[in-house]
Amino acid sequence: MTLNQLKIIEPVAGDYNLPNYSEVRRSFKWEDAGEDLSFNKTGRLNMAHEAIDRHVEDGYGHKTALHYVNGDERVSYTFKEVKEKTDHYARILKENGIEKGDRVFIFLPKTPECYIAILSAIKIGAIAGPLFEAFMEDAVRDRMNDCGAKLLITDKEMVKRVPEKDIPTLETILYAEDIEAEPFIDDGKQYTEWMDAEDGMLIHYTSGSTGKPKGVLHAHRVVTHQYQSGKWVLDIKDDDVYWCTSHPGWVTGSVYGLFTPWLNRATVVIQGGRFKAEHWYKLIAELGVTIWYSAPTAFRMLLSQGDVLKDYDLSSLRHILSVGEPLNPEVIYWAWEELGVRIHDTWWMTETGAHLVVNLPGEKIKPGSMGRPFPGIEVGILDEAGEVVPRGTVGQLAVKTPWPGLMKEIWGNKDKFDSYFKYEGWYVSGDLAYQDEEDYVFFQSRDDDMINSSGERIGPFEVESKLIEHPAIQEAGVIGKPHEVRGEIVKAFIVLREGYVESPELLEEIRVFVRNNLAAHLAPKEIEVMDELPKTTISGKILRRELKRMEIEKSAVDQNA
Ligand code: 6R9
């Protein structure tokens, strides 16, 4: 069965925020986007103002801005309360000498304080750097050093993973517990710094196939793209309860967990704790979640738990979205059959600021496809010469520049930034795809060695660099090995130094070494010892593609055996 023979899921009639895609797509101009945003009327711009303070000014201060759920713990805040809290954090940041453009890092679990700390840094004109909660010392240090972090907001537990002495630019560490304990002073002061559209706002570190993670810097202008995608793709309305499962240390968690829903005045759900099917379903049922944004790995895990969902009333759900990795048609059919709700795939990247290819609620879904270009976005499938290929042909997935969400720069690395724009007028994503006659885009694979495990983007170089710091390892090559639930898992091939002998204990020690220094999700799930690694004859570079080819061949043999 080829993809095009898969059963199409027709749109369900509904009162969607984008009534007529074809019409809008023809007439849409980015200048007309973001109609509700206040800077379009006042000329004054700040992401934090648009996401929170604007709603208080517009008379929605008493609307619930967030529900926080962690086990039996439940907390809810109104928009007015979130505004006061961001003012409170902003005042303390100011007192600690933070100025416009300074880098303020946030290293907290998925709690309201994490969201509020990010917004407060942005409010006073600083650049917020959210870190994923599972990072260990080396991952924290590399990222904060790369862009010269000046202040860190963390808590008294996570600070144990902050190698303070190795981060020379770091002047201050603040603890969320202490900030929370200080009384809020309503001094009537305006903490919002009005920003230029091109001023930096957010930095996310993300991996490619070479080098250490890069700092993708976004400017305040991203607000227009995020607002508009929230309105049309997430289809947020005033009575929606919206839940994105990602931590703000990942771009999905900041852009679609925090900024975009709040730009559209949604009630946001923040869920602490680990994945457990029962807890997730219970949360949806108890809070009456209407819009749910997650990733294929999570959906596959839920699917594998079978009938668990029958114990919960999930009838509040009206709209589900997916991102980060290829969405299997089985998963779409599962949700359609079991929940009667369509899963809408979305495609974008840390670098792109917001959605680029999407399935809209009022349009048919072709399972296997990520959807069609967002209005105002032009996709091109390019060949090696940078020419657009005929429909149906696989090539490099590229996007016409510019658009408001596109990153401003890669921190301190102009060459890397320029490498995305090697064909005049195009941003090249690094993904391979084809497009059909109706504009639907079908993802094929990455064009490089980047690993995608559970929707998390993992650079093989960062893992390899850590592996060879282990005394037993001479060389290491890291690949993504295909995996049924997680999409891919991290697999390492290593050559041992003389005097070391392979043993289960040694391999476990190596795994723990990576986990304790970088992060659990970066530690190889499998390690294979080899006598030598395949390399290019001229430059002697490790051939990850060859390792991957061997691995895929081997698992095909295993399956046939
Ligand atoms: C938002 C996010 C970006 C890479 C991207 C691609 C993969 C994202 C996808 C998808 C298939 C989708 N990706 N969405 N692959 N279908 N709907 O994930 O950002 O962490 O920067 O990763 O993820 O390979 O290039 P980021």
Side-chain angles (χ1 to χ4, degrees), residues 206 251-252 322-327 345-351 370 429 431 443 446 450 452 455 457:
T206 192
V251 79
T252 297
S322 173
V323 68
E325 34 166 350
L327 179 63
D345 197 8
T346 59
W347 176 84
W348 63 295
M349 304 174 69
T350 306
E351 295 88 333
M370 310 187 290
S429 68
D431 288 354
F443 177 87
R446 278 294 296 181
M450 193 189 84
N452 191 332
R457 194 167 151 179

Side-chain angles (χ1 to χ4, degrees), residues 524-551:
K525 290 268 179 308
E526 286 182 19
I527 302 177
E528 187 170 327
V529 178
M530 297 179 84
D531 293 335
E532 56 181 339
L533 297 179
K535 291 198 187 125
T536 54
T537 32
I538 298 170
S539 57
K541 270 196 213 145
I542 294 168
L543 277 168
R544 298 191 192 114
R545 263 159 225 235
E546 180 60 17
L547 289 168
K548 187 152 181 166
R549 194 192 57 74
M550 285 161 36
E551 187 60 43

